Amino acid sequence: MAFNDFFTGEIATELLKQLVSISRKSCLCKSTADNLITSIQELLPIIDEIKYSGVELPAIRQSQLDRFSETLRGGVELARKVLASGRWNVYKNLQLARKMEKLEKQVARFVSGPLQAHLLADVHHMRFETMERFDRLEGRLEQRLSSMKIGVGGWVEEAVKRMEVEEEASLGILGGVGLDLGKSKVKKLLMGRDDLNVVGICGIGGSGKTTLANEICRDNQVRSYFNNRILFLTVSQSPDLDQLRAKIWGFITGNEAMGYTSNHFVPPGKLQCEWGSGPRILVVLDDVWSLSALEQLIFRIPAYKTLVVSRFKFPTSVVNEVYKVELLREDESMSLFCHSAFGQKSIPPTADESLVKQIVSECKGLPLALKVIGASLRDQPEMYWASAKKRLLRGEPICESHENKLLERMAISVEYLNKKVKQCFLDLGSFPEDKKIPLDVLINMWVEIHDIDEEEAFAILVELSDKNLLTLVKDPRAGDAYSSFYEICVTQHDVLRDLALHLSNRGDVTERKRLLMPRRDTELPRDWERNADQPFNAQIVSVHTGEMREMDWFRMEFPKAEVLILNFSSNEYFLPPFTDDMPKLRALVVINYGTSEATLQNFSVFTNLANLRSLWLEKVSVPQLSNATVPLRNLRKLSMVFCKVNNSFDPSVLDLPQIFPRLSELVIDHCDDLIKLPLSICKVNSLQSLSITNCHRLCELPADLGMLRKLQILRLYACPELKKLPPSIGELVALKYLDISQCLNMRCLPREIGRLSSLEKIDMRECSETVSLPTSAALLNMKSLRRVICDDEVSGLWKNVGKAKPDLHVQVAERSYSLDWLDG
C-alpha cells in the first residue's frame, strides 16, 4: 500500500468508529478499546499532518508504514468480529479480548517508536513543502475593511486609517538615532552571531520594546535572512503555555497554516537536538514575564533563533545576549510629543515653549507617555495645559518604581476626559492582557451599561483612538466577522491596561464599580472570598481563570451587576452559581482561550437571566437549546464564535421564536460542525441581522428564509459548501446588505434576487464558480443597489448592468495577502 494512500486516515477513522461502539457494548474489551481510542485520536492529527506533506520516503520507512497499515486494517476486521460476537459466547469473547490486547500493544509500540522518528526526520522536508502550501493559501486570503454597519458608515474605518497614518508618522520620528541604533544592534545579534540562539530586548513598560521588535520583523534584511519564516507571539503574564508550544512546534514543522493545535506530539521539556543545517527560523516572544514560562518556550535547534521581548533581563544561560532599550533623548522626546500634541515635529510659535518643555520633561523620555499625554492636550486652551503641568509636577508615585510613576503621570490624560469617555476607557481593564477585544463585545457592553446608542459608542471609540488610549486594528483574517462590526477589533498597550486597572481598583472591593481580575489565576481572588458575606456593588464583573469546577466557586451577591465577562482556558467549565444573584445582568461574555471547545456545565443558570440582552459564546460546546432551559425572552444579540453548535440545534426540541422572541442579531462564525440551519430560524420575525461566516460545512439554507421580512443584513461569508441561495431570498423586502464572498461553489444567483428593492450593497468577491447572473432586466429592478464588490471575472456582467444604472458602482476587489491572522 502506498504511503499517501495509508495516510488518508480512512482506515484509522473507520477503526476509531468501531472502537467507540465496542467501548459501549463489550465489557471484556472496554478497557482495551478505550486505550486504543486514545491512541488513535492522538494519531489522527499526525495522519492529517503528513497527508498534506507529499514527502517521498525511503523504501525501508515505506515498508514500516505499510506493515502498520496492515495492522490497522486487521484491527478493523477484528473490531467487526467483536461487535458481531454474541454476549453469551464467553470462550470466543475471551479469545477476541486477547487479540484486542495484542492490537493495543502493536499500536502503542508504533506511536511511541517509529512514528516519532519519522516525524523528526520529515521536519526539513515539511518546511520546504509547506512554503508552497503557503503560496496557495495566500492566494485565497484578502484583507478587507468594509463599512461596518448600514447607517453607521465609514467613520470608524477612517479612524483606523488615521491611526495607521499616525503610527507611520510616529515611527518616522522614532526612527531617529534611538530606533535605528536599536535595530542595528539587535540585527547584528540575530544575523551576525551564529553562537547566539536566544537574543533579548528589555526595557520598562512604554519604552518601545514591542515597536522595536515589530520593526525588526518588518526589516527587509531580516526577512530575507530568515526567508520570511518569522513568527510573532505575545506571551503575557498568564500564558497558555501548551497552546504557545503547539504553535511554535507547528511553525517549526511547517504546519501552523493547517490548523495544527494538538499538543500531543510537541516534544516534552526543553527540546535540544542536532538536526544539521536547515532553513532559518525566527520566533519572537513578546511580553514575557517569567523565567519558568520562557524556558518552556525555547527550542534549541540549529538555524532556529528566539527573540525575547520583556521588561526583565533574564540570565545569560537562558537569554544569551540582551539589548536594553534606551529612553528617548530630549530632542526625540520633543519631536514625538509635538507630533501628538500639535501635529508637527516642533513647538509652534503660538504655544508656550516653557510650558511645553516642562510637560515633556515630566514624561521622562517614555514614548507611550509622550504620545498619550500629548494627544490628551491637543487643541486644549493654555489654562488646561498649565493645570496639567501642575498635576504632573505634584503627582505622587504609589511606590518608587519608574513604571508606577508612569501610571501616575499618564493618569492625568484620563482625568481630563469627559466623564462617560473616561468610564469607557476604564471598562477596557475588564479584558485579558494582550488579547484582541472583539469590537462587537465592547460596543454592546457600552450600550448596555452607559445608556448610550451605538452611534455615541462609536464616537467614544474614535475619541479614545485619537487620544492613543486604545488601538483600532483591521483583522487581516478574512471573514473574522464579529457581528456587524466587520473585521475590526481593539487592542491596548499593557501599560494602558495597567492604568485602567490601577484607577478601577481604588476603594473597598465591595464598592468598586468594576470587579476585575488583573490576570489569569487558578482561583478567585482571596479578597473576594473574604468579603463574600456582603453584596458587591460592581456593575461589571470580570473573571479570568483556568478550569473551574462547582467546588471552585463560592456564593457572591451582585445586585447591581449588568455585565459578566468569563475568560478561561480549559476543556471544561462550570458556569458560576452566583450568576443566579445577578438580577440586572444585561450582557454575558464567555470566552475560552484554550486549544479546543470547552464543555459548559450548569447551563441552568440561564433560566434566571430574564434581563439578558447580549450573549457572546466563544470556543465552547453550546448545550442543547430548549424553551425549558434557556427562556431568554429579552435577548437581542446572540454570537457563537469557534463553537460546536450542532447539538444545540436539535429540530425536535428547538423552537427559536419561543426561546428568543426578541432576537435581532444572530452570529455564527467559525462553527465547523454546522451543516444546516434550523428551520425554526425562519420564524424569528424580529431578526434584522444574520451572519453565518466561515462555516465550512454549511451546505444548505432553509427554503423559507424569505419569511425573515425584517432582515436587513445577511452575511454568508466563506461557506464553501454552500452552492445556492433559496429562491425565497427574493421575499427579504428589508434586506440592505448581502455578503456571499468566498462561497466558492456558488455557481449562480437566483433570478428572484432581482426582487430585492431595498438591497444597497452586494459583496461577492472570490466566488470563483459564480458564472451567471440573472438577466439585466431583473437586476435593474433592484432600485436601491449602489455598490457591488466582485472579482474581475464577474465585473463585466455587473458593468453591463451599470450601463443602464449609472448610480451603480462596481468595485473590482484588489488582492492583498497576509498571514498575520495565524498569530491568533
Side-chain angles (χ1 to χ4, degrees):
M1 180 180 180
F3 171 74
N4 283 340
D5 290 338
F6 159 67
F7 274 105
T8 58
E10 294 176 359
I11 302 172
T13 303
E14 176 64 23
L15 178 56
L16 186 61
K17 291 177 183 177
Q18 302 282 1
L19 290 170
V20 171
S21 299
I22 292 172
S23 177
R24 293 171 179 167
K25 175 186 175 184
S26 173
C27 294
L28 282 173
C29 298
K30 176 176 174 53
S31 175
T32 305
D34 287 342
N35 291 338
L36 277 166
I37 288 170
T38 300
S39 296
I40 298 297
Q41 284 176 334
E42 291 179 352
L43 187 62
L44 282 174
I46 302 301
I47 291 175
D48 289 337
E49 172 184 325
I50 299 178
K51 177 173 66 174
Y52 294 103
S53 69
V55 176
E56 293 294 331
L57 296 181
I60 186 169
R61 292 177 62 201
Q62 178 71 67
S63 64
Q64 286 179 320
L65 293 168
D66 286 347
R67 286 197 299 273
F68 183 63
S69 172
E70 291 305 317
T71 299
L72 287 183
R73 194 183 296 278
V76 172
E77 294 301 319
L78 176 60
R80 288 172 180 162
K81 290 178 181 178
V82 172
L83 289 172
S85 178
R87 180 180 299 179
W88 306 111
N89 195 338
V90 179
Y91 176 72
K92 183 178 180 182
N93 287 337
L94 283 171
Q95 285 185 314
L96 292 172
R98 292 193 183 102
K99 290 181 180 180
M100 287 285 289
E101 290 170 1
K102 183 179 178 181
L103 175 64
E104 177 194 352
K105 291 176 183 177
Q106 290 173 323
V107 172
R109 277 199 303 269
F110 180 80
V111 170
S112 61
L115 182 59
Q116 295 289 341
H118 292 175
L119 287 174
L120 292 175
D122 288 339
V123 164
H124 294 309
H125 293 285
M126 294 165 74
R127 284 181 186 166
F128 288 115
E129 294 296 322
T130 300
M131 294 310 296
E132 295 181 7
R133 298 201 303 276
F134 267 87
D135 291 339
R136 291 197 299 269
L137 182 62
E138 283 181 328
R140 294 180 55 196
L141 296 177
E142 183 168 3
Q143 282 189 352
R144 303 210 307 276
L145 182 65
S146 320
S147 60
M148 288 152 297
K149 189 164 186 177
I150 301 298
V152 173
W155 48 302
V156 175
E157 178 182 346
E158 290 302 316
V160 174
K161 292 178 180 176
R162 189 162 62 249
M163 173 155 283
E164 290 172 346
V165 172
E166 290 286 321
E167 192 63 30
E168 288 296 324
S170 296
L171 284 174
I173 295 168
L174 289 172
V177 176
L179 188 62
D180 286 344
L181 179 64
K183 274 180 65 176
S184 175
K185 289 186 175 181
V186 176
K187 282 168 63 176
K188 285 180 181 177
L189 297 176
L190 290 172
M191 303 190 304
R193 296 276 304 274
D194 291 336
D195 58 316
L196 302 179
N197 288 104
V198 185
V199 174
I201 298 174
C202 79
I204 68 171
S207 61
K209 304 181 300 295
T210 301
T211 300
L212 175 57
N214 275 314
E215 279 300 289
I216 289 168
C217 292
R218 285 194 285 260
D219 184 87
N220 289 332
Q221 288 182 334
V222 175
R223 297 192 71 83
S224 175
Y225 182 81
F226 288 101
N227 197 28
N228 289 318
R229 297 289 287 144
I230 300 174
L231 175 66
F232 193 105
L233 293 173
T234 302
V235 180
S236 79
Q237 293 187 62
S238 49
D240 186 332
L241 293 175
D242 287 343
Q243 189 177 44
L244 289 168
R245 282 174 62 82
K247 283 187 177 182
I248 295 170
W249 183 246
F251 191 75
I252 292 172
T253 57
N255 288 276
E256 73 284 6
M258 300 302 117
Y260 186 90
T261 56
S262 172
N263 201 44
H264 295 302
F265 290 93
V266 180
K270 305 172 187 176
L271 179 65
Q272 186 163 347
C273 59
E274 296 293 334
W275 288 348
S277 62
R280 298 187 184 101
I281 292 177
L282 174 63
V283 171
V284 182
L285 302 176
D286 186 38
D287 199 21
V288 179
W289 282 76
S290 75
L291 179 61
S292 59
L294 176 60
E295 288 180 320
Q296 295 187 59
L297 298 176
I298 291 176
F299 293 72
R300 297 189 183 275
I301 302 168
Y304 170 91
K305 293 204 174 189
T306 305
L307 178 60
V308 179
V309 184
S310 177
R311 301 184 183 191
F312 312 105
K313 186 175 181 179
F314 295 110
T316 55
S317 59
V318 179
V319 180
N320 310 134
E321 198 80 34
V322 174
Y323 169 74
K324 186 172 182 180
V325 174
E326 301 175 9
L327 299 178
L328 297 183
R329 299 176 323 193
E330 184 178 345
D331 59 330
E332 294 170 329
S333 297
M334 182 62 71
S335 294
L336 183 58
F337 179 84
C338 288
H339 173 73
S340 293
F342 307 117
Q344 60 187 60
K345 294 183 181 181
S346 59
I347 303 174
T350 54
D352 184 330
E353 183 175 345
S354 174
L355 183 59
V356 172
K357 286 183 176 180
Q358 289 181 72
I359 291 175
V360 170
S361 175
E362 286 303 311
C363 293
K364 307 300 181 185
L366 282 162
L368 184 63
L370 290 159
K371 289 174 65 176
V372 171
I373 294 175
S376 72
L377 296 174
R378 190 166 191 164
D379 299 326
Q380 299 297 335
E382 188 172 313
M383 292 298 294
Y384 191 98
W385 282 65
S387 173
K389 182 202 72 172
K390 290 177 182 177
R391 293 174 68 95
L392 284 168
L393 288 172
R394 67 171 181 259
E396 293 295 328
I398 55 177
C399 74
E400 289 306 309
S401 81
H402 197 163
E403 290 185 49
N404 283 325
K405 290 181 183 178
L406 171 64
L407 290 182
E408 292 298 327
R409 289 188 176 90
M410 292 179 61
I412 306 301
S413 62
V414 177
E415 295 301 331
Y416 281 112
L417 292 172
N418 167 280
K419 182 179 178 180
K420 209 162 265 188
V421 177
K422 176 184 175 181
Q423 293 302 315
C424 289
F425 169 77
L426 297 179
D427 294 341
L428 293 169
S430 309
F431 298 93
E433 58 177 343
D434 300 320
K435 299 293 185 184
K436 293 177 181 177
I437 305 170
L439 185 57
D440 190 47
V441 171
L442 197 58
I443 294 293
N444 284 348
M445 182 170 77
W446 287 349
V447 167
E448 296 298 341
I449 66 177
H450 296 306
D451 298 322
I452 57 179
D453 56 25
E454 288 188 347
E455 286 73 17
E456 187 175 353
F458 271 108
I460 290 172
L461 186 80
V462 172
E463 181 174 348
L464 291 173
S465 172
D466 287 344
K467 293 185 182 299
N468 293 316
L469 292 170
L470 57 77
T471 303
L472 285 170
V473 295
K474 292 182 292 186
D475 189 345
R477 183 169 34 177
D480 213 8
Y482 292 108
S483 187
S484 56
F485 309 120
Y486 200 60
E487 292 183 346
I488 301 286
C489 64
V490 173
T491 62
Q492 190 177 39
H493 194 287
D494 52 1
V495 173
L496 290 171
R497 179 176 178 272
D498 290 344
L499 175 60
L501 289 169
H502 171 62
L503 296 176
S504 294
N505 288 341
R506 292 171 172 172
D508 294 338
V509 66
T510 56
E511 297 300 323
R512 294 173 187 166
K513 187 174 181 179
R514 299 165 190 81
L515 192 64
L516 312 175
M517 290 180 65
R519 61 190 57 87
R520 189 179 69 171
D521 207 339
T522 55
E523 58 185 14
L524 298 182
R526 296 286 177 85
D527 58 341
W528 293 14
E529 187 171 11
R530 280 194 295 267
N531 291 277
D533 59 339
Q534 52 187 314
F536 291 80
N537 290 322
Q539 191 178 17
I540 300 174
V541 180
S542 178
V543 179
H544 193 189
T545 63
E547 179 178 350
M548 293 293 281
R549 299 161 296 176
E550 183 175 9
M551 66 185 70
D552 296 323
W553 299 103
F554 46 83
R555 269 287 167 187
M556 304 171 72
E557 289 185 41
F558 294 97
K560 298 181 180 180
E562 296 182 39
V563 176
L564 174 60
I565 302 173
L566 302 174
N567 304 291
F568 63 95
S569 180
S570 68
N571 294 325
E572 292 191 1
Y573 191 81
F574 192 91
L575 292 169
F578 58 64
T579 310
D580 284 344
D581 296 311
M582 293 182 163
K584 295 185 177 181
L585 192 67
R586 295 161 70 88
L588 174 58
V589 179
V590 182
I591 300 181
N592 172 27
Y593 292 101
T595 57
S596 59
E597 296 83 2
T599 301
L600 293 182
Q601 300 174 1
N602 197 28
F603 215 66
S604 60
V605 296
F606 281 85
T607 57
N608 295 320
L609 302 182
N611 292 312
L612 192 69
R613 293 166 60 92
S614 173
L615 175 59
W616 180 282
L617 300 173
E618 184 165 340
K619 205 176 282 189
V620 299
S621 248
V622 181
Q624 189 177 87
L625 302 174
S626 71
N627 196 35
T629 57
V630 194
L632 299 176
R633 305 294 185 193
N634 288 301
L635 193 72
R636 265 63 168 183
K637 298 182 181 181
L638 172 60
S639 301
M640 295 178 285
V641 180
F642 286 102
C643 290
K644 293 294 183 186
V645 298
N646 213 28
N647 291 336
S648 62
F649 286 160
D650 184 349
S652 64
V653 297
L654 184 63
D655 189 348
L656 284 175
Q658 288 295 317
I659 301 173
F660 308 123
R662 297 182 180 176
L663 189 68
S664 61
E665 292 188 28
L666 175 61
V667 175
I668 305 177
D669 180 54
H670 280 96
C671 297
D672 59 11
D673 65 337
L674 179 67
I675 299 174
K676 292 183 180 181
L677 285 179
L679 297 178
S680 64
I681 198 172
C682 301
K683 297 178 182 178
V684 184
N685 296 324
S686 55
L687 202 61
Q688 297 179 24
S689 177
L690 176 61
S691 294
I692 314 293
T693 55
N694 294 287
C695 296
H696 296 161
R697 297 178 63 196
L698 178 69
C699 60
E700 186 178 341
L701 296 176
D704 293 332
L705 191 69
M707 294 174 63
L708 298 173
R709 298 301 174 87
K710 294 182 180 179
L711 194 69
Q712 297 182 33
I713 298 171
L714 177 59
R715 287 193 183 87
L716 302 168
Y717 176 88
C719 297
E721 292 300 314
L722 191 62
K723 296 181 180 179
K724 62 181 180 178
L725 298 173
S728 67
I729 193 172
E731 299 170 24
L732 298 177
V733 293
L735 193 67
K736 295 182 178 181
Y737 176 52
L738 173 64
D739 184 357
I740 56 169
S741 51
Q742 282 203 13
C743 289
L744 303 177
N745 286 305
M746 192 170 291
R747 298 185 177 277
C748 62
L749 295 179
R751 67 176 182 274
E752 289 82 3
I753 200 170
R755 294 161 55 190
L756 298 177
S757 59
S758 298
L759 191 66
E760 298 174 4
K761 178 180 175 182
I762 300 176
D763 191 339
M764 54 182 298
R765 70 189 86 191
E766 296 188 64
C767 293
S768 57
E769 295 298 324
T770 305
V771 294
S772 64
L773 298 177
T775 63
S776 295
L779 295 176
L780 286 173
N781 291 327
M782 303 166 74
K783 305 295 185 184
S784 302
L785 188 63
R786 297 293 181 269
R787 188 178 177 198
V788 174
I789 306 175
C790 60
D791 294 330
D792 189 50
E793 296 85 350
V794 186
S795 62
L797 300 174
W798 280 108
K799 287 177 180 177
N800 286 335
V801 178
K803 291 176 182 178
K805 188 176 174 58
D807 55 353
L808 177 63
H809 174 60
V810 180
Q811 177 185 338
V812 177
E814 295 181 6
R815 295 184 181 275
S816 58
Y817 309 120
S818 171
L819 290 177
D820 294 343
W821 61 271
L822 292 171
D823 294 345

